[in-house]
Amino acid sequence: MSHSNLAIVVPFPNRKAPGPFASQIFFRSSGAAIAASEFSYSRDQEIYGEGEPAEYVYQVIHGAVRTYKLLNDGRRQIDAFHLPGDVFGLDSGDAHRLTAEAIIDTSVRIMKRRTLETTANADVATACNLWRMMADGLRRAQDHMLLLGRKSAVERVAAFLLEMDRRLSKTGMVALPMCRRDIGDYLGLTLETVSRTLSQLHDDDILSFSGARHIVLHNRRRLEAMNA
Amino acid sequence: MSHSNLAIVVPFPNRKAPGPFASQIFFRSSGAAIAASEFSYSRDQEIYGEGEPAEYVYQVIHGAVRTYKLLNDGRRQIDAFHLPGDVFGLDSGDAHRLTAEAIIDTSVRIMKRRTLETTANADVATACNLWRMMADGLRRAQDHMLLLGRKSAVERVAAFLLEMDRRLSKTGMVALPMCRRDIGDYLGLTLETVSRTLSQLHDDDILSFSGARHIVLHNRRRLEAMNA
DNA sequence: CGCCGGATTGATCAGTTTCAAGGCATGTGG
DNA sequence: CCACATGCCTTGAAACTGATCAATCCGGCG
């Protein structure tokens, strides 16, 4: 799989983005070609650190990745969860502005930034796709600022559940790769508040559990109404 | 001034960005040319609304602009304040995702998105500048998510003061164009909390007032320490 | 079977919001 | 030129939401 020819193609440009930097990257034998390799990371392993030179762009093959920022005293804000198909590490000038870690065992495809830049300079389609991915990231960040700045705990958790349902629900079941603390650090809440809110939604028959990380949504409409 | 030839040029690519979409746009007689016009808006006038087709990109000439999102019940999150030189309206695919309003009487330079796109397709320098502006916006959003999700009221206000000091302090005096409510809606606080926090910083001799909207910072180091 | 990390739940606490009153500056009209 | 109206800002007191501290509890795994 490594060192194959690669081009960036967005299969359905008009479809709603399924997640952060949502465009899919597919292998293709013709057209602009970019060398790519596969890498694997185990649970909690760092992929890159804030401030490190940003040499590569990544696409999740399977697993899940969190990107975050820290304050001196350890407070953490998770910027985004990256799921299979998502591209991350594209934001960044010379240096990464976030830390990226595997949430669970994860494999990624990596591409050299420089190669990507060169390709984008020559190939308008590639440039457009990169632009679209960047714009998606910005849109997500803007929506998330509204959540962090103005939504209540229930509204945040409802938004999170709907996002995850949309992005990783296969069989009507949401299988969360991340722990309660990660969810809290994504939503600007404590893990206890996340847990309490989920329990409350369970009591209200809006969802049910099969183990803490497997959730079935029973009433998306009510969740959407809560999302404000 | 209207319908002059225009090209996007970043004067000091390596300098720290002074604000959102910080690159400066200058008139130039040669090189890629884009028709631009000037427009004026009075205090509180809407420039564009969320959901409207995004036909233009804007650059503040003088004045100040807020871009924000609303929830159904009127809760508001201000995404950014745009000051002279700043470009806004660049995020957006076909439709604006934010509402833009003049905070005070404001004049802007407008450029057609399509023209800009066409130019960017042909001119690598223009494309790079657009990319840089977009990346700056994303970086700002990421920093702001950390603030909204994890910082205390004092830390938020300290961050705001340092940002405004950097961006619009001429004579050591920060002349704020926006009211306390705007500041609150930017920082995810109420206007009362903003006011109380500023009073507290005044009591601690970190700043002084010449009227509510003219602030002199006396101890940037302490503010920076508070910024966490 | 028992261990261990993660999750839940409870009780209390703190920070911020909310509600309410009053002050100050600006500008307008008498 | 002054009085008053208006909008913004400050300040106070009380209420509330979510955080913190502290036990369990549960489930997956050795």
Side-chain angles (χ1 to χ4, degrees), chain B residues 152-153 189-190 192-193 196:
Chain B
S152 70
L189 299 171
T190 58
E192 292 96 331
T193 301
R196 268 184 252 275

Side-chain angles (χ1 to χ4, degrees), chain B residues 25-136:
Chain B
I25 295 185
F26 293 103
F27 288 97
R28 203 168 66 168
S29 49
S30 67
I34 298 172
S37 322
E38 237 177 273
F39 258 85
S40 285
Y41 300 90
S42 49
R43 187 177 139 81
D44 292 331
Q45 194 181 343
E46 180 172 304
I47 299 172
Y48 56 75
E50 189 174 346
E52 284 178 13
E55 211 183 335
Y56 297 99
V57 174
Y58 304 77
Q59 183 185 35
V60 180
I61 298 170
H62 56 81
V65 172
R66 59 181 166 247
T67 46
Y68 64 84
K69 280 176 162 288
L70 286 179
L71 294 174
N72 315 325
D73 60 0
R75 280 173 289 173
R76 183 177 67 157
Q77 179 62 44
I78 293 183
D79 180 69
F81 294 118
H82 306 278
L83 303 175
D86 294 337
V87 173
F88 65 96
L90 190 59
D91 55 310
S92 315
D94 296 334
H96 289 293
R97 304 195 201 303
L98 302 159
T99 302
E101 280 175 2
I103 296 173
I104 51 178
D105 292 354
T106 295
S107 64
V108 300
R109 189 147 44 230
I110 68 170
M111 295 147 278
K112 269 210 145 54
R113 290 184 68 81
R114 305 240 338 130
T115 317
L116 213 48
E117 279 166 28
T118 310
T119 310
N121 281 345
D123 177 28
V124 175
T126 302
C128 282
N129 284 318
L130 289 174
W131 181 263
R132 202 191 327 273
M133 287 188 262
M134 187 78 134
D136 280 347

